[in-house]
Amino acid sequence: QVELVDSGGGVVQPGRSLRLSCAASGLTFSNYDFHWVRQAPGRGLEWVALISHDGGNTYSTDSVKGRFTISRDNSKNTLYLQMNSLRDDDTAIYFCAQEDPGLRAFVFWGQGTMVTVSS
Amino acid sequence: DIQMTQSPSSLSASVGDRVTITCRASQSIGNSLNWYQQKPGKVPKLLIFTASNLRSRVPLRFSGSGSGTDFSLTISSLQPEDFATYFCQQSNSAPYTFGQGTKLEIK
């Protein structure tokens, strides 16, 4: 069965960096586009970034452009989110999600990893 | 960017009620609209994809409709396990924006 395991979250001071990981199993990782979605405490879902199956195309939401970088290592079945210059409003649970190309929807999600930006 | 506006933001209903949640896109997205259910402390779960297609093993009391800019999610007869927050999401183009969510509560 498909499993996505998010890790790398923690408490970090404003302006510092953090790298999140999403380890995938049970699927042919290199066949799928992947996304990061976040959810601030008590708030809704916010789409953050996507990367194409081969890593050739990426896109991120305006609020993280220039600060966050999505990447992947298909040899390790792992998705990453490098987060630099973190701000208080980046505090959220971060989920990775697999896009099913036929459904054009997020079928499988990681369990989420909490990032808290606080001085 | 495409903005997604969901309504209502919260809804109180009773077991057995029929409820409808709407989602409006700021521009036409064809049928590229998905619905997710999220329970407290849990990961979002895909219910409906491409506006009206029920994901396998999702109960038939859930249905989706719409195209272009206006969409809806209907639950025909609420069950206790349906009380949750529901989000729409457009997958027409990046950024793949979500609606702000509708919290469905027990009356």
Side-chain angles (χ1 to χ4, degrees):
Chain A
Q1 69 281 17
V2 176
E3 186 176 23
L4 303 178
V5 179
D6 297 321
S7 63
V11 180
V12 62
Q13 293 179 326
R16 303 299 292 265
S17 299
L18 211 55
R19 188 177 83 157
L20 307 184
S21 299
C22 169
S25 60
L27 77 169
T28 304
F29 182 74
S30 59
N31 283 355
Y32 299 100
D33 296 353
F34 274 82
H35 302 251
W36 287 100
V37 176
R38 67 183 178 182
Q39 187 168 36
R43 306 295 296 275
L45 300 173
E46 180 184 17
W47 180 87
V48 174
L50 78 87
I51 187 165
S52 60
H53 65 96
D54 61 358
N57 291 294
T58 63
Y59 196 99
S60 58
T61 195
D62 285 348
S63 63
V64 309
K65 276 180 184 167
R67 301 189 300 123
F68 290 10
T69 302
I70 188 171
S71 63
R72 64 192 296 162
D73 186 336
N74 285 349
S75 69
K76 295 182 178 179
N77 292 348
T78 303
L79 174 74
Y80 302 102
L81 185 67
Q82 177 67 43
M83 304 187 296
N84 298 332
S85 303
L86 282 160
R87 310 187 309 215
D88 290 352
D89 61 358
D90 294 318
T91 293
I93 300 172
Y94 285 73
F95 301 96
C96 67
Q98 175 246 352
E99 179 181 344
D100 185 299
L103 278 55
R104 289 185 284 150
F106 299 172
V107 175
F108 295 105
W109 296 65
Q111 86 286 4
T113 186
M114 183 70 204
V115 173
T116 302
V117 184
S118 173
S119 54
Chain B
D1 295 358
I2 299 172
Q3 309 303 317
M4 304 302 296
T5 304
Q6 236 180 286
S7 62
S9 55
S10 64
L11 177 59
S12 293
S14 302
V15 172
D17 284 354
R18 177 185 180 91
V19 299
T20 297
I21 299 167
T22 64
C23 186
R24 174 165 288 178
S26 59
Q27 64 189 73
S28 179
I29 57 172
N31 68 346
S32 301
L33 191 283
N34 307 310
W35 291 98
Y36 300 86
Q37 177 194 66
Q38 187 181 32
K39 296 182 179 179
K42 300 296 187 181
V43 173
K45 171 187 170 185
L46 176 66
L47 297 178
I48 290 172
F49 59 96
T50 53
S52 60
N53 293 284
L54 203 64
R55 186 183 176 189
S56 61
R57 293 189 293 278
V58 172
L60 294 177
R61 62 182 180 272
F62 291 91
S63 64
S65 65
S67 66
T69 60
D70 293 311
F71 302 87
S72 63
L73 170 70
T74 297
I75 310 172
S76 61
S77 178
L78 276 173
Q79 298 303 301
E81 60 269 28
D82 300 337
F83 292 94
T85 300
Y86 294 84
F87 295 93
C88 63
Q89 179 211 25
Q90 66 85 14
S91 56
N92 181 73
S93 60
Y96 288 13
T97 38
F98 289 89
Q100 76 273 27
T102 296
K103 186 173 184 179
L104 181 52
E105 299 175 303
I106 300 174
K107 184 183 287 184

